[in-house]
Amino acid sequence: MTNPVQAEILKRVAEVFDKQVPFHNLLGMDIKRYDLDGVEVSIEMKPELIGNIHQQILHGGVTATVLDVVGGLTAFSGLVASRDDWSVEELKNRLQTLGTIDLRIDYLRPGRGEIFTGTGTVIRAGNRVSVCRMELHNERGDHIAFGTGTYMVG
Amino acid sequence: MTNPVQAEILKRVAEVFDKQVPFHNLLGMDIKRYDLDGVEVSIEMKPELIGNIHQQILHGGVTATVLDVVGGLTAFSGLVASRDDWSVEELKNRLQTLGTIDLRIDYLRPGRGEIFTGTGTVIRAGNRVSVCRMELHNERGDHIAFGTGTYMVG
Amino acid sequence: MTNPVQAEILKRVAEVFDKQVPFHNLLGMDIKRYDLDGVEVSIEMKPELIGNIHQQILHGGVTATVLDVVGGLTAFSGLVASRDDWSVEELKNRLQTLGTIDLRIDYLRPGRGEIFTGTGTVIRAGNRVSVCRMELHNERGDHIAFGTGTYMVG
Amino acid sequence: MTNPVQAEILKRVAEVFDKQVPFHNLLGMDIKRYDLDGVEVSIEMKPELIGNIHQQILHGGVTATVLDVVGGLTAFSGLVASRDDWSVEELKNRLQTLGTIDLRIDYLRPGRGEIFTGTGTVIRAGNRVSVCRMELHNERGDHIAFGTGTYMVG
C-alpha cells in the first residue's frame, strides 16, 4: 500500500514532469499515471514530431526521449516503493540526484500512429543505481521500441 | 576525393536534414558540415530544450536526438565513401532504408552550455549494417555524452 | 508447424553448437532444446567458471557467453521460422553469415546457483538483421541477467 | 604520481586477477600491466577458445570476457587514482563492491590472430558508478571489438 509520504512525492513529481519541464511541454508529453505500480507516459502525434516527411513517422529522438523519461520515473518510483519510512525531505534529495547513466534504445518498427504510450519496469533495484526496461506502443498496440536504461537514484 | 555523385547526394541529404525534417526544425538543429570526412551537427541552447529548470541543463532526449542524427548521417556518409561508382539512384534507394536499429547513449556530465556539437565516426562499415560512435561537446569542449549506434544502410 | 527442412537444419545447428564448438565444450554448455519456438541453453556450475572465489559466483564472462549463444540461436531460429520454403542450402548459407553485431548485458544479481539456463525471444525479425532479448536464470528461478543483442542473419 | 597505498592495492588486484580467478586461468588471461594509467590484459589464441572451427576465430564470449575484465580493472584504477589519501582498508572495501552493472560489446571484425590485447579508459568517473570504454586488438593492431561498460565502484 502507498503511504501518504509516497503518494505526495509521486504526485508532485508527476506534476513537475507533466507541466514544468520545458522540453516535455515542447513535445506535448503527458504523464497519464504515476504510482508505485509504475508509470504511463503518452505523447500525441503532431507534425512537429515527424522525422520523415514521406513516411510521416515519429522521429527516433522522440522515441528515445519518451523512453528515457519513462525509465527515470520508473527508477524513482521503484526507489520510493523500496521503503515505507522515507521522509519527504529524503525523497526530495534523492530526486535531485536522479539521472540517466546510460540508455539503450531498440527500434522495432516505424513510429506510425496517433498516440504513443510508454511504460516501464524496474529490473534491478538498487539504493544507488537502478536498471529499468521500457516499452513504447502506439494506440493499436503495435510495439514501436524497447528501451533499457541505467539510472542513478542516490 | 569526393566525386560529383557523392558530393551531390551529401549536399542534398544535408539540406533535407537541415531544413525539411520537422523535428529538427522544432529543436533548431543545424547541419554545420557534411562530407565524406564526417558530419558536424550543432544545436543552440534555448529555454524549450531544458530538462531541469533548476539546473538549466539540456534534456537528455535532446542529447539522444542529436547523437542519433549524427550517427545516421555518419553511417550514410561511410556508405557513400565505400564506393566511387554509386549512381544517384542507388544512393537515393539506400537513403530510403537508412534507419537506426539500436542506440546506446552514455551521459557523461550535465548538459550545460550555449552550443552543443555532435560528431561521429564509423567503427564498423558494412554494406547492410554500420556501427558508429558519436560524441557531444559543448562550446567549451566539455564532453557531454557518448553514443554508439547500429544503423541499417541497405 | 515445422517442416522437414526446418527441422533438419535446427537439429544440425543444435548438434554443432552442442558438440563442435570448442569454447562451448570448454565451458560445458548444453543445448537442451532448439526448435522454432525457441532455445534453451544450460550450463552447470563448476569451479573453473567461478569469477570470485570468495563469493563462489559465476564469472560475468560466462553469463555474457551463454546469453550471446542464446541470442544467436534465437535469431537464427526466427529466420528459419520466417519462411516455410527455405532450401537446406539457403539456410546453410545464412548460417555462415550469422554473427553478433552488438550485445548488451544487464547483470541483475550475483550468479549463484548450480544450473543456469538461458532463453530468448526475437524482438525484431529482419531478413538481414534481427534483434533478440535473452534471459539467464538459475535452477531456483532467480533472474541473473538480461541480454539484448543485434544479430546479422543474412 | 602513484603513492605506496595505491601501488600496493593495484599490485594485489593484478595478482588476484592474474592468478586467482578460476575463469581467468581457464581462458589463459594475462594481466600484463596495471597501474594508474590503465590496464593491459592479453589472451593467447588456443584451440579451446575457438567459436567457429571453419573460420578458426575467437568465440565472441571470450571477447566479451576480456573486455569486461578490462572495464572492471579500468574503473577500479580510476577510483584509486581519484584520491591520494585512500587507506588500504577503504580500497579493499571498495573492491568488494566492484561489479558490472551493464556492458555493451560492439563486434567489429572476426577474432583472428594469435594474441589479443584489451585496453580501456574511464569516460565517466564517479564515486559510486564509473563508465569505461574498452578495446580489443590482435597482435597486428586489427581492431576486433569495442566495449562500453557501467561499473559499480562503491
Side-chain angles (χ1 to χ4, degrees), chain B residues 32-51:
Chain B
K32 287 294 201 190
R33 185 170 66 81
Y34 191 38
D35 54 41
L36 290 188
D37 296 329
V39 59
E40 202 182 304
V41 173
S42 79
I43 196 164
E44 218 171 306
M45 181 52 115
K46 55 179 186 175
E48 298 92 317
L49 304 183
I50 284 175

Side-chain angles (χ1 to χ4, degrees), chain A residues 58 60 118:
Chain A
L58 206 63

Side-chain angles (χ1 to χ4, degrees), chain B:
Chain B
M1 240 192 65
T2 312
N3 69 38
V5 168
Q6 292 170 327
E8 184 188 334
I9 195 90
L10 291 178
K11 184 160 169 277
R12 196 178 305 185
V13 170
E15 281 167 8
V16 169
F17 273 63
D18 201 49
K19 303 276 185 239
Q20 295 169 33
V21 177
F23 193 58
H24 298 181
N25 294 341
L26 183 69
L27 266 54
M29 215 180 289
D30 254 339
I31 312 299
K32 287 294 201 190
R33 185 170 66 81
Y34 191 38
D35 54 41
L36 290 188
D37 296 329
V39 59
E40 202 182 304
V41 173
S42 79
I43 196 164
E44 218 171 306
M45 181 52 115
K46 55 179 186 175
E48 298 92 317
L49 304 183
I50 284 175
N52 183 314
I53 39 175
H54 300 294
Q55 300 188 53
Q56 297 279 317
I57 53 178
L58 206 63
H59 194 285
V62 180
T63 298
T65 301
V66 175
L67 290 181
D68 185 30
V69 170
V70 166
L73 288 171
T74 300
F76 187 70
S77 83
L79 185 80
V80 172
S82 70
R83 282 174 41 192
D84 56 11
D85 62 348
W86 291 109
S87 68
V88 170
E89 210 49 45
E90 284 173 312
L91 286 174
K92 278 190 193 169
N93 288 339
R94 291 305 190 101
L95 191 59
Q96 301 292 341
T97 68
L98 181 65
T100 312
I101 298 171
D102 67 63
L103 176 68
R104 175 178 170 126
I105 306 291
D106 288 281
Y107 293 94
L108 307 184
R109 48 178 64 77
R112 289 204 184 80
E114 296 304 317
I115 297 172
F116 301 93
T117 301
T119 53
T121 61
V122 178
I123 61 170
R124 172 184 171 145
N127 190 39
R128 298 291 170 187
V129 175
S130 290
V131 183
C132 297
R133 289 202 145 184
M134 299 81 77
E135 310 192 0
L136 190 77
H137 291 85
N138 67 12
E139 77 282 2
R140 292 186 302 272
D142 297 329
H143 197 156
I144 306 297
F146 263 120
T148 313
T150 300
Y151 295 88
M152 187 70 74
V153 294

Side-chain angles (χ1 to χ4, degrees), chain C residues 22, chain D residues 45-47 49-59 110-113 116:
Chain D
M45 181 52 115
K46 55 179 185 175
L49 303 183
I50 285 176
N52 183 314
I53 39 174
H54 300 295
Q55 299 188 53
Q56 296 281 317
I57 53 178
L58 206 64
H59 194 285
R112 288 205 184 81
F116 301 93

